[in-house]
Amino acid sequence: MTNAQKFLELFNRLDDLLRKYYNDYDRSRSLIARYAGQLEKSNNRVLQERGRLLNEIRVFRNSLIHEFDMNRDGLFEVSDKALEALRREVEMLDKPLRASDFMTKIKDVVSLNLHSQIGEAIKVMVEKGFLHLPVLDDGHLIGVFSPNVLFRYLAEASHTEGRIIDLKMDDLMDYIPIKEHISEFYSFTSRKAISSDVNDLFAAYSKIGKKLALVFVTENGKEDEFILGLISPSDMLKADEM
């Protein structure tokens, strides 16, 4: 089989997968154009590049098929790069990456509990470079400790007995629940959510000028479920490279 034949076979496979993905079986319109356009509009440069390549591939394929059979003499050869790009897209749609595949598992997450001291949390942040530390109780999310939480507490607390660094997370219960965070946001997703849906969460917040700091992964994406892991923007970048 020539590269051109492989190319057309992969292109048609991608088209079929996208019809299932969008639940749209109208052959009069190109879903690859729709898919590539969505990727190009992403805030993620990796996704933008994928969309750009897909659009180039789509235009080349249409030329091969529709423009007076321009390759009937075999003058043009499909590159290995084009085949690899198509294979990648087919694979991602056929066997999509799930949240559980690229999240940071909870066993590997540096977390706090209600008895953790502020001084302990700050030390971890300085040493590890973390800005958001989940506060867990028996595997369930109580809240998140961050510099903004500390600053807000210092600005609003009328008085504090003893040293600030000796206070515990339990003393910050008016500030650490995620609904109490003012300038940073958090979301939840199912462990079975596909990577593109998780990426859309980050993109949706970015589009309205808000920062989605972390996405917590649970079995069904519900807040009251056991935390299985979390996804940060850096985890999302790694997922795009997997």
Side-chain angles (χ1 to χ4, degrees), residues 178-189:
I178 58 176
K179 66 181 185 206
E180 299 296 337
H181 287 237
I182 296 176
S183 59
E184 49 201 11
F185 300 87
Y186 305 88
S187 189
F188 289 79
T189 194

Side-chain angles (χ1 to χ4, degrees), residues 22 24 29-39 55 58:
Y22 288 117
D24 185 342
R29 53 176 168 258
S30 171
L31 294 184
I32 292 180
R34 175 180 173 183
Y35 184 61
Q38 288 180 337
L39 291 175
N55 261 325
R58 178 181 60 84

Side-chain angles (χ1 to χ4, degrees), residues 33-221:
R34 175 180 173 183
Y35 184 61
Q38 288 180 337
L39 291 175
E40 284 193 292
K41 291 177 182 178
S42 170
N43 293 321
N44 186 304
R45 291 183 180 179
V46 174
L47 298 185
Q48 290 173 2
E49 179 64 11
R50 282 173 50 200
R52 186 188 67 79
L53 284 175
L54 269 180
N55 261 325
E56 288 186 0
I57 287 170
R58 178 181 60 84
V59 171
F60 180 67
R61 177 264 181 189
N62 289 344
S63 296
L64 285 176
I65 297 298
H66 301 300
E67 300 297 325
F68 310 106
D69 192 17
M70 63 176 282
N71 202 34
R72 61 186 173 187
D73 296 318
L75 299 177
F76 304 96
E77 184 60 82
V78 176
S79 70
D80 290 337
K81 183 177 180 180
L83 288 178
E84 182 57 33
L86 273 177
R87 285 195 190 99
R88 177 180 170 82
E89 295 299 334
V90 166
E91 183 176 338
M92 284 191 289
L93 284 168
D94 194 27
K95 298 178 181 179
L97 200 63
R98 304 287 178 178
S100 58
D101 296 324
F102 62 91
M103 69 181 184
T104 299
K105 294 179 175 56
I106 196 61
K107 67 180 180 64
D108 298 320
V109 171
V110 177
S111 62
L112 308 172
N113 58 55
L114 291 175
H115 301 294
S116 299
Q117 294 180 326
I118 287 181
E120 173 190 345
I122 293 174
K123 183 179 180 181
V124 169
M125 288 176 163
V126 171
E127 292 180 349
K128 303 290 186 180
F130 298 150
L131 292 177
H132 307 89
L133 298 179
V135 182
L136 305 177
D137 182 28
D138 195 26
H140 292 80
L141 185 69
I142 300 300
V144 176
F145 179 74
S146 70
N148 284 355
V149 166
L150 180 58
F151 296 154
R152 185 181 167 205
Y153 173 80
L154 293 174
E156 297 181 3
S158 57
H159 69 278
T160 301
E161 295 182 2
R163 300 187 307 169
I164 294 292
I165 61 174
D166 292 331
L167 291 177
K168 298 179 180 179
M169 291 301 118
D170 196 30
D171 297 312
L172 302 180
M173 281 305 295
D174 289 339
Y175 302 92
I176 61 174
I178 58 176
K179 66 181 185 206
E180 299 296 337
H181 287 237
I182 296 176
S183 59
E184 49 201 11
F185 300 87
Y186 305 88
S187 189
F188 289 79
T189 194
S190 161
R191 68 178 181 83
K192 294 182 180 179
I194 61 176
S195 61
S196 59
D197 288 341
V198 180
N199 188 76
D200 287 345
L201 279 176
F202 284 98
Y205 276 84
S206 178
K207 190 174 183 179
I208 58 176
K210 295 181 178 180
K211 177 185 177 182
L212 182 58
L214 295 173
V215 174
F216 292 98
V217 182
T218 65
E219 182 65 29
N220 301 295

Side-chain angles (χ1 to χ4, degrees), residues 9-23:
E9 184 177 273
L10 285 168
F11 191 94
N12 291 335
R13 175 63 175 151
L14 180 60
D15 186 62
D16 289 339
L17 288 169
L18 285 172
R19 296 196 180 281
K20 182 178 179 181
Y21 179 77
Y22 288 117
N23 193 28

